[in-house]
Amino acid sequence: MQGTTVNGSREAIVKDSATTTQIAVEVHSQQHHEEHPDFRVIGLLTFLISESLMFGGLFAAYLLYRGGATNWPPEGTEVELLLPTINTIILVSSSFVIHLGDVAVKKNQIGKLRLWYVVTALMGIVFLGGQVYEYMTLGYGLTSNIFANCFYVMTGFHGLHVTVGVLLILGVLWRSRRDGHYSHEKHVGVEMAEIYWHFVDIIWIVLFALLYILTQF
């Protein structure tokens, strides 16, 4: 009986020791994760900063051309507001929609994540369709004058970024098919797509102000 008791005590001590070790490893892993943020997000932010500099260069060039012109935009280059305003409302609203997807995944609501990301992708596609329609009905081309050149380059470059954003969102939707791929603990891909989409929206707001609003005055 005494030997059995001793063996039982040893087994209990070993189990307690193993449990303590496991807890210590988990705590260390959590602390390590908190001390060292995900470098994928840092890489994305670095990329977006570089893209911001490129757009900043385009904005600066546009303002220089505008400041040196006596008539801006040149005669025969009319800028309509109705379609771009509708497009702006769609794109800005999509930022709120995609955020709902991020909120959903943090609650383990993968079905809602898919729903909100599908809606966001459709809104992005509608925006691109509206931009293509605008190009077809403007009445002036890339080489018509310096304003038209700036207009097509800046909006076209932004449209390329919207296209990439839509592809990222579709990539998230494709990966979400696998059970457990995204959850309240694993959602870096979802957050990265959302950050990129917010960047695209912010750039468009600046473009809308420069190319459409300010040209009315």
Side-chain angles (χ1 to χ4, degrees), residues 10-217:
R10 288 178 179 176
E11 290 178 0
I13 292 173
V14 170
K15 289 181 179 179
D16 290 341
S17 177
T19 303
T20 303
T21 303
Q22 183 179 359
I23 293 174
V25 169
E26 291 177 355
V27 170
H28 175 74
S29 177
Q30 183 177 2
Q31 290 176 346
H32 180 76
H33 177 73
E34 292 175 353
E35 293 173 359
H36 300 280
D38 198 309
F39 288 105
R40 291 172 293 180
V41 177
I42 295 176
L44 173 64
L45 294 176
T46 303
F47 169 74
L48 294 182
I49 290 172
S50 68
E51 293 299 288
S52 299
L53 295 176
M54 294 180 66
F55 276 107
L58 293 174
F59 298 157
Y62 174 83
L63 292 173
L64 285 174
Y65 290 135
R66 176 187 172 90
T70 56
N71 187 21
W72 194 266
E75 293 183 4
T77 312
E78 297 182 1
V79 178
E80 298 292 337
L81 276 179
L82 179 59
L83 179 58
T85 299
I86 295 174
N87 253 1
T88 300
I89 293 172
I90 292 172
L91 194 63
V92 173
S93 299
S94 69
S95 264
F96 296 96
V97 176
I98 197 172
H99 180 66
L100 293 176
D102 181 65
V103 173
V105 75
K106 291 177 180 176
K107 295 180 180 179
N108 271 336
Q109 298 173 341
I110 307 303
K112 288 187 176 181
L113 163 67
R114 296 192 187 105
L115 170 64
W116 296 125
Y117 267 56
V118 165
V119 174
T120 304
L122 291 175
M123 295 174 82
I125 292 171
V126 170
F127 173 87
L128 291 173
Q131 193 170 47
V132 171
Y133 179 80
E134 183 184 16
Y135 287 167
M136 296 172 62
T137 58
L138 279 176
Y140 51 86
L142 176 65
T143 58
S144 297
N145 51 55
I146 189 63
F147 171 80
N149 183 263
C150 291
F151 177 89
Y152 277 100
V153 169
M154 293 165 71
T155 57
F157 192 47
H158 176 266
L160 174 63
H161 282 72
V162 175
T163 303
V164 172
V166 171
L167 293 176
L168 287 176
I169 292 170
L170 294 177
V172 170
L173 289 171
W174 179 260
R175 292 189 172 191
S176 69
R177 298 178 307 111
R178 288 182 285 179
D179 292 337
H181 187 81
Y182 294 121
S183 67
H184 71 284
E185 295 178 346
K186 299 186 299 179
H187 51 264
V188 175
V190 175
E191 289 183 337
M192 291 176 68
E194 181 186 5
I195 291 171
Y196 182 88
W197 197 253
H198 290 327
F199 167 79
V200 167
D201 283 2
I202 292 170
I203 294 297
W204 177 253
I205 291 172
V206 178
L207 280 175
F208 182 73
L210 289 177
L211 296 175
Y212 297 96
I213 302 299
L214 294 182
T215 54
Q216 307 299 316
F217 302 98

